[in-house]
Amino acid sequence: MKPTNWRASEVANQLALSESRFLHLFSIELGIAWRPYLLWRRMICAIQALINGNSATDAAHLAGFSDSAHLSRTFRNNFGMTIRQAHTLFKKVS
């Protein structure tokens, strides 16, 4: 599931921290910066949507990508295959 709070400022506010302090603590404690973490969470959300039988377009929108092309580019950069190849693979597995 995609994160409900996408903005660091919103999360920082909920934690009563400044945005810069939150971003610093986040990267120190988790070993990854906020934006790459959110991108990874969105990728997981999209993959789950594909496994559940959603189209690439629906998976992109469910995960917070602007469109399926954005999801496809990001997916290829991260996993070295197209979203269509992955979708076919997920169909075979399930």
Side-chain angles (χ1 to χ4, degrees), residues 28-71:
I28 292 295
E29 294 297 322
L30 294 171
I32 185 171
W34 178 249
R35 289 179 58 93
Y37 168 76
L38 284 182
L39 181 59
W40 186 250
R41 287 284 310 272
R42 289 168 44 204
M43 292 299 302
I44 291 169
C45 180
I47 291 167
Q48 187 61 51
L50 290 171
I51 290 170
N52 289 337
N54 289 287
S55 68
T57 299
D58 289 340
H61 290 288
L62 288 169
F65 289 93
S66 56
D67 55 28
S68 60
H70 183 205
L71 170 59

Side-chain angles (χ1 to χ4, degrees), residues 50 82-94:
L50 290 171
T82 65
I83 200 76
R84 184 170 294 181
Q85 290 169 324
H87 196 232
T88 303
L89 180 65
F90 296 142
K91 282 184 177 181
K92 290 179 183 178
V93 173
S94 55

